[in-house]
Amino acid sequence: TVGVGYAAQQAVTATGGTAPYSWSVSGQPSGMGINSSSGAVFGTPTVAGTFSLTVTVADSSSPQQTASKVLSLTVAAATPTLSITTTALNPATATVGVGYAAQQAVTATGGTTPYSWSASGLPSGMGINSSSGAVFGTPTVAGTFNFTVTVTDSSSPQKTDSKTLSITVAAAIPALSITTTSLNPATATVG
């Protein structure tokens, strides 16, 4: 993958001739090469595509023997950086004791889907859906809360990004009730 260090699990090998061998390569993507002693292909490619590498081995005999072989290497494009794109919850306010569901889930771009979401610092009674990024719940305390949302992608190795968001939880609105317990006695005027 572009920008990711590569080391072949197995070096290019040869038989015959007289060891030790000396290795060279041509046609490789920029940023890559071959270990001249071991034949191990390595490096950090800078361009994507499929490349035909011509690997050449020379032995230690006199006169020297050489052999070449074309091998194929595919370099995948770099996975875009994972980044949370949400800047604020909508709505950014909730009320104690009242169910809250964000109109839009927290979102991200880049990386490899599916994403996994987590949050820390949300008010008591609230959480985040680990699959969708939707913030929800019934807050139990009032105040302004700065909380951290973290997204993790499915690439290997995994990429993560975190962002601090805010939510204000208003105190519960008292239930509407009539406080008068009785009416004053009425008197009739005789005239």
Side-chain angles (χ1 to χ4, degrees):
T1 304
V2 170
V4 177
Y6 172 88
Q9 293 179 353
Q10 198 171 6
V12 181
T13 58
T15 60
T18 304
Y21 302 130
S22 177
W23 296 90
S24 62
V25 66
S26 63
Q28 75 274 22
S30 176
M32 297 193 68
I34 192 166
N35 183 298
S36 62
S37 300
S38 70
V41 176
F42 68 94
T44 302
T46 61
V47 290
T50 299
F51 298 87
S52 295
L53 287 68
T54 301
V55 178
T56 302
V57 62
D59 75 353
S60 300
S61 65
S62 183
Q64 193 175 51
Q65 296 183 63
T66 63
S68 294
K69 188 169 202 173
V70 176
L71 300 173
S72 180
L73 177 67
T74 300
V75 178
T79 304
T81 301
L82 180 62
S83 178
I84 295 174
T85 56
T86 301
T87 56
L89 289 182
N90 181 16
T93 58
T95 303
V96 170
V98 178
Y100 173 89
Q103 292 179 2
Q104 279 185 315
V106 180
T107 57
T109 60
T112 303
T113 58
Y115 301 138
S116 177
W117 295 90
S118 63
S120 62
L122 276 166
S124 178
M126 296 187 71
I128 190 168
N129 183 298
S130 63
S131 299
S132 70
V135 175
F136 66 95
T138 303
T140 60
V141 291
T144 298
F145 300 86
N146 293 319
F147 62 97
T148 302
V149 176
T150 301
V151 63
T152 304
D153 78 350
S154 299
S155 64
S156 182
Q158 289 180 318
K159 294 182 175 85
T160 63
D161 187 39
S162 295
K163 184 177 261 189
T164 299
L165 300 174
S166 179
I167 187 166
T168 299
V169 180
I173 299 170
L176 179 63
S177 65
I178 296 173
T179 57
T180 303
T181 57
S182 64
L183 295 175
N184 293 331
T187 56
T189 306
V190 177

